[in-house]
Amino acid sequence: MKKYIYIISGLVLGLLFTSCEEALMEEPESLLVKENFYKNETDAFSALAAVYGTFRSGGDRYFPVTYFMATLENRAEYSNGRGSQAGFSNYDGPLDNTSQERVFAAYNDIYLGVNRANSVISNVAKIEDMKEDLRKQYVAEARFLRAFFYMNLVKYWGGVPLRTEEFTSLDQIPAPRASVDEVWEFIISELNAVIPDLADSFSDSDSGRATSWTAKAALADAYLNTENWQLAADTADDIIVNGPYTLVEVAVADDFMNIYGPEVVTHSEDIFSAHYSETNGMDVPRFIHRANTGFSIGGFHAWLPVQNSILGSWDTNDLRRQFSLYTEYIDDNGEVQQLPEDSPLLFHKYRDPGAASGPQSRNNIPFYRLPEMYLIYAEATAEASGAPTSLATERLNIVRRRGYGFPLNAASVEDYPSGMSATDFKNAVLDERVYEMNLEMKRWNDLLRTGRAQEFVEATGKTWSDVSLLLPLPIDEINNNPAMGPGDQNPGY
């Protein structure tokens, strides 16, 4: 059974993180409130668990699953949203009302996480009955999570209000929209600051918590997004060379179940991921599969692979393709059935036919895995050097060899050649990022940060508008924040 640190009762969350003064005056006086909560190490851990609890699924939660992930995956050119999610895959104008509501909810979920982190940062530092090194660690984890939340905001909404204090008063509502550069500067500063105080590792029962290596992975990502190429390469290299991670060995396609399977607690290349269980499940398998295919409990097949995208040219010998996509399934009678004409190809990466119910799938969702560090190193080194180096090419090929089930450190027939042009190498890295990390919330950011979203969207036959470059800020943020006005809304909304 999976164990998760971020399960905490709704009563504790409701009372601990409410901003309503009335709740602090509730009778009887023995009810839990902030003033008598942050007293010891156990209280600190519970509060930290609530910050991680931002990743939980179910109910009206939108970050990261299901609708934040649905937004990113169906903005990527390789997936079309179906039904109520079709609006995510239209690029010729603003998002429709349903899509906007889901985007607003995800934004609000992320800021809920920010406020929970701010509460830990502010209050745990004041606890007297607590070991100093543990106090620093918990505060560092909260600061990391806050930076991670802001990374997800700045990538897709652009500049946003930087709220760094726990929300305890209506006087704190005014917060101006920071610039993109200011948000990234804050993120990078925070990630660098917390590395010394974070744990280097956790036991499997505590997997899912942020370590010093997790912060370095996020830092490599931040440097990549801000085009600090050498720092991105150096940080990724540190993780590859000195980190405790190794690539999971693969000989056949289903060996990838050792990474994505519902029974997996963690694995040797897991740097940071959102964890789910039979009591805290998620809904992604139901969103990608059809009902009765044997891969999920029910199914909406709401995310449809786009066959004239990069997926259409993906080599069928690549084990990652065999694992990530499917055209047929075995029915209840043991017979092979082809998927129907309206959805002849479906995503396959996340599957849990043993889930307790449709929304209770147990698959973890990766945020950072070791292969991404290889790919960040390859891309950033080539950019810093003006051309791919031999080590950059080798690390790109290591990821590719694993994808084909070849030995990692021996040349293979599928290797990219040495001497590639800078442009061809960059294209190869971006391709491998899809092959390796499809349905891991990476592709849309890759298209945005490289300035190639319009190119790849139009290549699938769709019409592009620059309104698609940023998600809309919630109307309530514009209307209720006195430090912002209509002019702060993203273009086109």
Side-chain angles (χ1 to χ4, degrees), residues 121-139:
I121 294 164
S122 173
N123 293 290
V124 170
K126 303 172 185 176
I127 296 176
E128 296 180 0
D129 183 17
M130 189 173 182
K131 296 177 182 177
E132 181 63 20
D133 58 345
L134 200 59
R135 184 203 326 274
K136 289 182 178 179
Q137 179 189 317
Y138 285 6
V139 171

Side-chain angles (χ1 to χ4, degrees), residues 392-444:
T393 303
E394 175 64 9
R395 285 183 170 164
L396 175 63
N397 280 327
I398 285 173
V399 174
R400 186 168 176 83
R401 291 168 197 154
R402 199 277 290 271
Y404 280 83
F406 295 135
L408 299 181
N409 298 310
S412 79
V413 296
E414 296 296 341
D415 280 7
Y416 291 104
S418 60
M420 296 174 71
S421 70
T423 298
D424 288 346
F425 188 81
K426 180 74 170 252
N427 289 337
V429 172
L430 291 178
D431 287 352
E432 289 297 321
R433 286 179 65 89
V434 172
Y435 304 153
E436 186 64 36
M437 297 183 293
N438 62 88
L439 296 196
E440 295 182 35
M441 297 179 282
K442 302 292 182 179
R443 178 62 166 180
W444 185 234

Side-chain angles (χ1 to χ4, degrees), residues 116-125 139 142-143 146 164 190:
R116 289 174 174 178
N118 285 337
S119 180
V120 171
I121 294 164
S122 173
N123 293 290
V124 170
V139 171
R143 290 176 69 183
R146 183 177 63 180
T164 59
E190 286 290 284

Side-chain angles (χ1 to χ4, degrees), residues 12 27 39 100 106-107 232-233 236 256 265 329 364 379 425 471 492:
V12 171
E27 296 292 341
K39 296 297 185 182
Q100 287 192 48
Y107 178 99
F256 283 105
V265 174
Y329 63 97
N364 295 342
E379 179 181 351
F425 188 81
L471 297 176

Side-chain angles (χ1 to χ4, degrees), residues 97-108:
N97 289 338
T98 298
S99 300
Q100 287 192 48
E101 289 173 2
R102 290 166 174 172
V103 164
F104 297 165
Y107 178 99
N108 291 333

Side-chain angles (χ1 to χ4, degrees), residues 15-16 24 31-39 123 168:
L15 292 171
L16 179 59
L24 301 181
L31 280 176
L32 181 63
V33 293
K34 190 181 77 171
E35 281 75 3
N36 60 29
F37 177 75
Y38 285 100
K39 296 297 185 182
N123 293 290
T168 58

